[in-house]
Every structure is written in C-alpha cells, then in structure tokens.
Amino acid sequence: MPAMAIVGLQWGDEGKGKITDYLSEIADCVVRFQGGANAGHTVDLGRKTLKFHQIPSCALHKGVTAVIANGVALDPDELIREMRTLREKGFPVTKLAVSNRAHLVMPYHKELDGLEEAFKGAGAVGTTRKGIGPCYADKASRIGFRAGDLLDVASLTERVETAIRFKKAYASALNGALQSDVQGIMKKLHHWSGVLSSHITDTSSLVNGFISRGKSVIFEGAHGLMLDIDHGNYPFVTSSNIMTGNVYAGSGLNPQVRVKTLGILKAYATRVGAGPFPTELDDEVGEHLALKGMEIGTTTGRKRRCGWLDLFAARYAVQLSGARQVAITKLDVLSGLEKLRVATGYTYGGKRLKDYPPSVGVLNGVVPVYREFRGWSDQLDEDITRWSELPDAAKRYISFIEDFLGVEAKMISVGPSRKKTIIRGKLAP
Ligand code: GDP
Ligand code: IMO
Ligand code: MG
C-alpha cells in the first residue's frame, strides 16, 4: 500500500477519522491535503475520544509522520490548540510537518466568513465559520499569507497593511466592521512563528521521499465528495477539491505515483449545513438515525440532517474518487429498523435522470427512486468481527451496495471503536 487516499463519498462525517486511525497502524506518513479546521475527524479509544481538525488522524501511532500539506487552509491558532489538547490527552504529536506553501487562515478570514453568511441571508451556505472560503479566495486573489511567511515575519508589515485595507473595505461592503487590525495581526504572526517555525518545511519533498523509499503514505481526505467545490452541490459546498485528483495538487506528490482510493461510505446519509438532500428524513426514522448515530457535528456541534443512503449520489462520487474499495461505516446504526431504503435514482418532472444533476434547483425538485430492504433487529454491538457473524439482511444490504457501486466493501464498521471493524480481505495494493 504505497499511496492510498481516504475519501468521503457523501457529505462528510462518514467516519474517515476512524478508518484513517485504523490504517495508520501500517502507515509511515499520513497527509492532509485539503480543507482545514472545518473538518472534524473522531477517533474513539473507549476511555478517550480524540477529535482531529487539521492534524491527520494518526497521532496515536508515534512512529508515523503527520503532514499538513500545501493544499490545506491552515489555521495556526486552531493548530496550536489542537496540539495542546492532544498533548494533554497523552498523545503529543512528535512528528508533525507543515508545508511552507500552506495558506494561513487569518483572524479576518473568520470574521468575513460570518459576515458573508449574514449578508447572504436565506441563501447562506451554513459554513463552519472557520474562515475556509475567505482563505482560499485570498489564495486565488494572490493576497494570502503562507506558512513559509512565518519564517520571516518582520518582512510582512507592508503586505499585512494592504490586506487589512482590502478587508476593511470588504467588511464594510458587507455591512460589517472589521475587528482585525495591522498591529493585532503582526502580533499573531510573531506568536505563530515562535510556536510553529520548527515544523514548517517543504512537505512535497518529504512526502515524495517517503514514496521513493518504498514507505506507505495515506492521504486523509476531509469532508465528502458531494461538498467538492467543482463536483459537489455548488454553491452548497466547501471551498476545496475533495476528489482523489487533488491529492497531487494538494500535496505536491509526483503524478507518476499511483494513488489507490479507499472510499468511505456511511450506511445511511447525513449532511450538516444548508443544501439539497433528496433522501432526507423528517420522521421517526430520521430521529432514529440521529439519536443512534449520535449525529452531532464534530466541529460545530450542530445537529446533522439524516436520511436514507443515496446510492445515485454515491455512484457519482465513486466515479470521481476512483474508489474500487470502500469501507462501509455505522452499519450498527441501522439495527432495529424494520425496513431500509436506498435511493438508486432520481426522477425530475416525471422523467428518470441519467446523470447526477449539477444544479441545486433540479436537486431540490427531484424525487428519489427507492429500493426497499428488510432490516435486522440484532444490535451488532457484541464483538462482531467477521462477515459471517452479520445478520443475513445486513449482508444482503451490503452486497447490493457493492453491486450497485461496482466496489468491494473491504472494511465494515459496526461501532466507533477500532475493534468494531470487520475486515474482509486485504486492501489491494
Ligand atoms: P469523519 O469526519 O468522516 O472523520 O467522521 P466524524 O468523526 O465527524 O463522525 C463520525 C462519527 O461516527 C464519530 O463520532 C465516530 O466516532 C462515529 N463512528 C465511526 N464509525 C462508527 C460506526 O461504525 N458505528 C458508530 N455507531 N459510530 C461510528
Ligand atoms: P469532515 O471532514 C460535514 C460543510 C459545512 C457547510 C459547507 C461549507 O468532518 O467530514 P465550510 O466551513 O467548509 O466553508 O462550510 O461544508 N462541511 C462539512 N460537513 N463534515 C465536514 O468535514 C465538513 N466540512 C465542511 O457544514 O455546509
Ligand atoms: Mg467530521
């Protein structure tokens, strides 16, 4: 397994953190290549729960190098806090490398995230308010700051003055008043520099070095493909590419290196924030999924919207991710439901759609075509570790998913902890 990408196939929160931690056992390096502190990845240790936002979910494995690559929108305040929390919980991150090319989330990006959302009113995206959109916008506008800039803060005054002038004007156009000022930002930059400089390096060289020495590298995706800025439900998306192709741009990996994808698919669907969700359930089944699945946002504490598994959307995500192998998570949450449904297509205006629609207007008007399955009552909360121990109805549900998506479910997760993981054969190298 020289290079593997872990990619969410839905709207995020599929259980990428659990699976990344599980596979980190056999990795030498784990890389975050997009997103930022908007991600929240959980690793459940029974006694303790660790939540990862920017640091890859491999901190339990002391020998593994954790990389925050150039494609990440890096929030130094959140990173410093995350490092402290992990240290206090007994898991100091000893091998952490931060790309000198990663763009910095500045305090004014978070202010502007809130102001933009308020300005949009009913059309708000429901962002995590972590400043992700404004940070990537500045990257594209070429007025951003990068982690490498922290190595020479004294030279940044003029650029900071320009940025603050820009942002003041923008904030007032959004009916707001910017709190950030030049002095405050310079102070922050000096602080970040003091704490983080020793971690800042050329992570592209580092990652390619691991690969050329035959080591195993995992690229831990954040969010889920339906939130991809190009291929997701635009504009109700995040501001980065989530698809496997972005591993190369987001980390500087040599494109000659073949990256295998492990898609992560929750056995039902959830979504946080606004945007279309054709299989959403506002009934007692939705309530069952929310309660049993403990569907509360890891980063924002918001309630996640819940619904039936949408295989029409997932098939599109599988194609974009290149996944031939998937991990199906949270199967245990379906226990106790008499009947299960999965969407296998959509109709719009009475006609069956061939392709997953790009338009939110269409998505808001589609009617899912469902296939029904018998559920199972067994709770799966005993220590089920083998495929053969699953109820027949659960096996039929998974086999249908495999056939429909053209993938192999190599891992099946039946609880938050590591031991509640069924392995069905090795991941293909
Ligand atoms: P991520 O963003 O994809 O890493 O997912 P999150 O960590 O935000 O959300 C997944 C939640 O489900 C976390 O609280 C996990 O501990 C939990 N979880 C992961 N796998 C399973 C599972 O198989 N069953 C149950 N019941 N919970 C799970
Ligand atoms: P993980 O990695 C679920 C959603 C937000 C919002 C939209 C844009 O834990 O799966 P942003 O702050 O990125 O500008 O918000 O994207 N979103 C997520 N939803 N899980 C995530 O990450 C998400 N990251 C962003 O709720 O709808
Ligand atoms: Mg999450």
Side-chain angles (χ1 to χ4, degrees):
M1 195 194 66
M4 168 161 290
I6 290 181
V7 176
L9 297 176
Q10 293 153 303
W11 290 269
D13 305 323
E14 297 90 349
K16 299 174 293 292
K18 169 179 168 165
I19 302 296
T20 301
D21 166 63
Y22 193 99
L23 294 175
S24 293
E25 190 89 40
I26 48 164
D28 299 289
C29 175
V30 181
V31 183
R32 276 284 308 273
F33 61 95
Q34 44 75 229
N38 49 350
H41 298 178
T42 313
V43 176
D44 189 314
L45 301 173
R47 299 156 287 121
K48 289 179 191 170
T49 301
L50 306 181
K51 292 178 194 292
F52 295 93
H53 298 286
Q54 299 185 99
I55 296 174
S57 312
C58 61
L60 297 173
H61 308 272
K62 294 218 163 26
V64 179
T65 299
V67 171
I68 297 177
N70 60 282
V72 171
L74 173 74
D75 184 331
D77 276 336
E78 296 258 3
L79 177 60
I80 292 166
R81 197 167 21 244
E82 198 174 336
M83 288 163 78
R84 190 191 318 125
T85 307
L86 285 170
R87 195 168 50 240
E88 285 168 2
K89 292 205 169 194
F91 300 98
V93 186
T94 45
K95 293 182 170 182
L96 174 69
V98 174
S99 169
N100 45 18
R101 293 178 173 86
H103 273 254
L104 300 179
V105 174
M106 307 294 269
Y108 49 76
H109 289 140
K110 286 186 259 193
E111 286 189 63
L112 291 166
D113 198 346
L115 289 175
E116 284 182 1
E117 285 283 275
F119 194 83
K120 286 177 184 169
V125 176
T127 72
T128 58
R129 311 275 173 127
K130 296 292 181 187
I132 302 298
C135 174
Y136 281 125
D138 276 7
K139 174 178 178 175
S141 296
R142 293 151 296 182
I143 51 167
F145 292 86
R146 308 199 294 182
D149 291 329
L150 297 178
L151 303 178
D152 183 14
V153 175
S155 69
L156 301 179
T157 314
E158 211 171 297
R159 280 172 57 201
V160 171
E161 284 167 356
T162 307
I164 289 291
R165 252 187 296 126
F166 249 101
K167 301 304 165 187
K168 276 213 157 102
Y170 184 40
S172 84
L174 294 172
N175 306 326
L178 200 75
Q179 303 299 308
S180 300
D181 59 20
V182 175
Q183 212 189 358
I185 295 291
M186 289 305 296
K187 204 169 147 201
K188 277 264 179 223
L189 291 169
H190 279 292
H191 170 58
W192 295 342
S193 170
V195 183
L196 297 176
S197 283
S198 62
H199 295 283
I200 296 171
T201 185
D202 183 335
T203 55
S204 167
S205 292
L206 181 73
V207 171
N208 284 308
F210 272 107
I211 296 283
S212 55
R213 295 196 303 280
K215 304 289 184 189
S216 290
V217 180
I218 292 175
F219 295 88
E220 179 184 6
H223 334 307
L225 252 160
M226 307 316 291
L227 295 172
D228 184 281
I229 187 157
D230 283 289
H231 301 281
N233 306 143
Y234 192 89
F236 297 100
V237 293
T238 189
S239 299
S240 62
N241 283 113
I242 293 157
M243 55 195 307
T244 312
N246 192 31
V247 162
Y248 297 99
S251 74
L253 177 69
N254 181 336
Q256 296 298 323
V257 177
R258 180 129 186 270
V259 178
K260 281 269 178 180
T261 305
L262 177 68
I264 315 295
L265 187 77
K266 182 149 50 179
Y268 52 96
T270 60
R271 172 162 206 162
V272 200
F277 189 3
T279 64
E280 184 167 13
L281 292 165
D282 283 322
D283 57 9
E284 68 283 1
V285 177
E287 193 74 356
H288 167 108
L289 299 173
L291 284 176
K292 193 154 187 205
M294 299 206 279
E295 295 296 353
I296 303 288
T298 311
T299 298
T300 57
R302 289 178 291 177
K303 260 178 95 170
R304 295 175 183 150
R305 301 154 66 192
C306 296
W308 294 123
L309 178 61
D310 186 341
L311 286 183
F312 191 53
R315 189 157 64 185
Y316 171 67
V318 161
Q319 177 187 305
L320 290 165
S321 70
R324 286 280 157 270
Q325 335 178 65
V326 299
I328 295 180
T329 60
K330 304 191 87 160
L331 188 68
D332 53 303
V333 175
L334 297 182
S335 295
L337 291 172
E338 210 174 306
K339 280 186 185 147
L340 304 174
R341 295 173 120 195
V342 300
T344 54
Y346 298 157
T347 60
Y348 183 67
K351 286 207 183 100
R352 186 88 179 234
L353 295 182
K354 193 167 134 285
D355 295 316
Y356 187 80
S359 143
V360 161
V362 173
L363 278 165
N364 282 333
V366 298
V367 178
V369 177
Y370 284 113
R371 167 133 185 170
E372 206 163 90
F373 292 83
R374 192 178 309 154
W376 57 90
S377 53
D378 319 51
Q379 287 305 319
L380 314 190
D381 49 10
E382 296 311 312
D383 285 352
I384 289 186
T385 52
R386 274 191 284 241
W387 169 256
S388 59
E389 292 162 347
L390 285 174
D392 285 343
K395 286 186 201 153
R396 275 196 294 274
Y397 187 73
I398 289 174
S399 299
F400 182 82
I401 296 172
E402 291 184 304
D403 289 345
F404 190 89
L405 299 179
V407 298
E408 286 180 273
K410 287 284 179 82
M411 300 173 83
I412 295 159
S413 174
V414 292
S417 71
R418 240 190 248 173
K419 64 179 182 177
K420 294 197 168 160
T421 314
I422 296 169
I423 303 292
R424 285 172 79 204
K426 276 195 174 153
L427 295 172

